[in-house]
Amino acid sequence: MGKIVTIASQKGGTAKTTTALNLSYSLSCLGDRVLLLDADPQGGMTIATTIKGKTPAGLIDYLAGRCQLKEVAFYTKEKKMAIMGIGTVDPDSVRQLEDWARKAVIAKALKRFSKHFDYIVIDAPTGFGSVPVALLEASQGVILTSQCQSLSLKSLPKMLGVIDWVQKSSNPDLSLEGIVLTMRHPDNETENEMFQEIHSGFPAGLFFSEYIVSDPVFELASLRSVPVGMLSAGKVAAHNYHQLATEYKERELLRSLSKGADDGADSGLF
Amino acid sequence: MALILDSSEIREAIALASGLTATLNLPVATDAGKVRAITVADVPAKIAQKTTPKPSAEIDPAGLTYRGDQLEQVLRNMCLRSHFGGAVVTDATGLPFAVVNPPVSMEAVSAFTSVLGSALERAGSLLGQHGAEYLSLDINYEEKIILRRFLIHELPYFLLVICPQEVDERSEIEISIDQIVSILDKK
């Protein structure tokens, strides 16, 4: 079974879609089978990847029973990762999606998808309505995105509170994988000062040590509908995400080793 | 004066994050009682914690009834003689036939063997050295992993061994492979 990881944020415009797309691409470059899933009715990821050119159908159509997985999830040309768009979006279908979220229909579908991939990376809707909460209830991991700016950082307790609530009420397996700081401006002194403060004030390991630097090449990649790593001008920006994917995998490894050493359940085999 | 740390939202976020970071399992306590982040340098220690004492006496595998037990005994004897940390015999897909002291979960060992096996095959093919059958990888400052591919009736199998870097493991591995082949090849 693959791991379901939701990319979430309470505040909009924190590069959730960019992070979902580029982190998925980097994970696939590390050899993992990745499904990138757009679960946001805004359809940002569906637009960013031009999957609509392949099919207008997506998650909503799959959940409605109008099509099968192979008809809505398409591998990229490099066969490295698969992408599923949000599908047919109208007021009725969005209301239906929220209903499916409450009835765990989305969770069951995600479980079925996870049999075919190592990771399912979900671009979640902003905030904590029924869809994002259902995604958290079905996920093993959640990565938050935030800008290193006052408004974005101050919205963190809302989302952390929701994660805490989901962990305690319905999904104890949900793990906060970390917070990625996006669109960083390392030449902005105020931002740098806040960066220092949050690293000293928040618990160690909460923020990924790798952050994503603001770069016009992301807009260029968006125009071309590709991950930044596929642009020759995007090598530096892509390196950020490759490092983030590596750090993420490193955290997973350390967590599994630490868990194994502590529980002692599999000691004494020999 | 702090720019952002004094705000009520950030204080609330820190309080919530302190509870949630327990699930990160990243910070570990040091001797001084301070908390620091776990690092890659800690991995060998974690692996060492999971390994169990080595077997104390050699047993003749021929005296055992089942093929799996015989293979395991060959690996135990090899680890005992040469102070290897652990060993695994798998088929080409990483399916383990016998295991002694795996450093991580069996799934990870299988996946790792399979990954190294394909790396060995691809390296051989890229270099035009199709007989390449031996791969050594230092996994930390003290230990290395050896992967030795061998064939039985043209089918590839792998012996994966974890041993100290200073050990010359080749002869021991060759002797053990002869024994493994004779067990697996038995009608």
Side-chain angles (χ1 to χ4, degrees), chain A residues 46-253:
Chain A
T46 304
I47 296 164
T49 55
T50 59
I51 189 157
K52 269 189 163 177
K54 285 271 185 190
T55 175
L59 177 66
I60 289 176
D61 305 86
Y62 175 87
L63 294 173
R66 291 194 285 269
C67 37
Q68 297 182 336
L69 177 61
K70 62 183 178 188
E71 294 172 291
V72 285
F74 289 94
Y75 276 95
T76 55
K77 280 179 193 162
E78 292 179 323
K79 305 283 177 204
K80 285 181 166 179
M81 59 188 263
I83 300 173
M84 188 194 294
I86 181 69
T88 312
V89 177
D90 55 43
D92 269 348
S93 61
V94 173
R95 195 176 293 171
Q96 182 69 64
L97 186 67
E98 284 164 359
D99 195 39
W100 285 325
R102 283 188 288 271
K103 291 176 179 164
V105 176
I106 297 180
K108 283 177 195 159
L110 290 175
K111 210 167 184 182
R112 284 197 293 277
F113 299 162
S114 69
K115 288 178 190 160
H116 306 281
F117 299 93
D118 297 316
Y119 290 99
I120 297 184
V121 178
I122 305 172
D123 183 21
T126 299
F128 43 84
S130 48
V131 175
V133 169
L135 294 171
L136 292 177
E137 285 174 337
S139 298
Q140 285 90 49
V142 52
I143 295 175
L144 299 185
T145 53
S146 173
Q147 283 176 269
C148 194
Q149 290 178 0
S150 169
L151 264 184
S152 187
L153 292 167
K154 285 180 179 177
S155 74
L156 282 176
K158 296 272 187 299
M159 206 63 208
L160 293 172
V162 172
I163 293 168
D164 186 46
W165 178 78
V166 169
Q167 263 186 358
K168 285 175 180 154
S169 63
S170 53
N171 182 10
D173 294 334
L174 177 67
S175 165
L176 171 60
E177 312 275 8
I179 302 173
V180 191
L181 287 176
T182 58
M183 297 183 262
R184 273 274 286 131
H185 299 90
D187 49 353
N188 180 321
E189 279 184 26
T190 314
E191 203 176 284
N192 285 341
E193 214 171 313
M194 280 196 283
F195 182 75
Q196 294 297 334
E197 281 188 17
I198 56 173
H199 275 278
S200 62
F202 278 88
L206 179 69
F207 288 87
F208 284 95
S209 53
E210 190 65 27
Y211 56 80
I212 310 302
V213 177
S214 178
D215 190 327
V217 79
F218 282 108
E219 183 55 26
L220 186 62
S222 179
L223 279 169
R224 304 258 171 91
S225 307
V226 292
V228 277
M230 294 183 73
L231 297 180
S232 54
K235 297 298 173 204
V236 175
H239 182 70
N240 270 184
Y241 275 107
H242 288 334
Q243 291 289 99
L244 179 68
T246 307
E247 187 183 347
Y248 174 66
K249 303 272 289 179
E250 196 176 288
R251 283 177 175 222
E252 275 192 323
L253 175 67

Side-chain angles (χ1 to χ4, degrees), chain A residues 150 153-154 156-157 160-161 163-164 167 174-178 190 193-194 197-198 200-206 250-251 254-255 257-258 260-262 266-270, chain B residues 1-5 7 9-10 12-14 16-18 20-21 23-27 37-40 43 46-47 49-50 52-53 72 76 99-105:
Chain A
S150 169
L153 292 167
K154 285 180 179 177
L156 282 176
L160 293 172
I163 293 168
D164 186 46
Q167 263 186 358
L174 177 67
S175 165
L176 171 60
E177 312 275 8
T190 314
E193 214 171 313
M194 280 196 283
E197 281 188 17
I198 56 173
S200 62
F202 278 88
L206 179 69
E250 196 176 288
R251 283 177 175 222
L254 292 169
R255 192 181 300 129
L257 288 171
S258 140
D262 292 343
D266 54 355
S267 63
L269 281 171
F270 304 97
Chain B
M1 196 182 108
L3 280 179
I4 192 165
L5 276 184
S7 79
E9 290 90 353
I10 296 297
E12 189 188 348
I14 291 172
L16 280 162
S18 302
L20 286 166
T21 43
T23 65
L24 282 168
N25 282 326
L26 287 171
I38 197 168
T39 66
V40 177
V43 175
K46 293 282 178 190
I47 289 173
Q49 281 173 29
K50 290 198 80 183
T52 50
E72 203 160 284
R76 275 183 202 284
V99 184
V100 167
N101 277 357
V104 288
S105 73

Side-chain angles (χ1 to χ4, degrees), chain B:
Chain B
M1 196 182 108
L3 280 179
I4 192 165
L5 276 184
D6 293 336
S7 79
S8 59
E9 290 90 353
I10 296 297
R11 282 203 300 271
E12 189 188 348
I14 291 172
L16 280 162
S18 302
L20 286 166
T21 43
T23 65
L24 282 168
N25 282 326
L26 287 171
V28 294
T30 62
D31 293 341
K34 290 180 181 170
V35 171
R36 67 175 170 79
I38 197 168
T39 66
V40 177
D42 295 315
V43 175
K46 293 282 178 190
I47 289 173
Q49 281 173 29
K50 290 198 80 183
T51 54
T52 50
K54 295 179 176 65
S56 56
E58 269 192 56
I59 297 169
D60 183 6
L64 298 166
T65 313
Y66 298 105
R67 206 177 287 196
D69 293 346
Q70 292 175 352
L71 284 173
E72 203 160 284
Q73 199 52 53
V74 168
L75 299 185
R76 275 183 202 284
N77 291 347
M78 175 181 72
C79 290
L80 181 67
R81 282 193 303 266
S82 301
H83 307 289
F84 291 172
V88 186
V89 179
T90 77
D91 68 7
T93 62
L95 179 73
F97 294 136
V99 184
V100 167
N101 277 357
V104 288
S105 73
M106 282 310 303
E107 291 84 345
V109 168
S110 297
F112 190 56
T113 310
S114 176
V115 166
L116 283 189
S118 7
L120 184 61
E121 196 170 319
R122 288 174 68 182
S125 135
L126 288 167
L127 297 170
Q129 299 290 329
H130 296 280
E133 55 191 10
Y134 201 91
L135 193 149
S136 174
L137 177 72
D138 289 355
I139 53 171
N140 52 45
Y141 290 119
E142 293 157 0
E143 293 171 300
K144 60 185 171 185
I145 277 183
I146 305 296
L147 185 83
R148 166 75 158 85
R149 184 174 56 177
F150 58 99
L151 300 173
I152 302 177
H153 302 305
E154 307 300 312
L155 288 174
Y157 293 81
F158 295 109
L159 170 63
L160 184 138
V161 167
I162 296 167
C163 61
Q165 282 170 15
E166 69 273 13
V167 167
D168 183 2
E169 74 292 341
R170 282 178 186 263
S171 56
E172 185 62 63
I173 284 180
E174 296 311 315
I175 291 166
S176 301
I177 282 182
D178 287 345
Q179 295 178 325
I180 291 165
V181 169
S182 70
I183 293 169
L184 285 174
D185 201 20
K186 227 182 269 173
K187 297 284 181 220

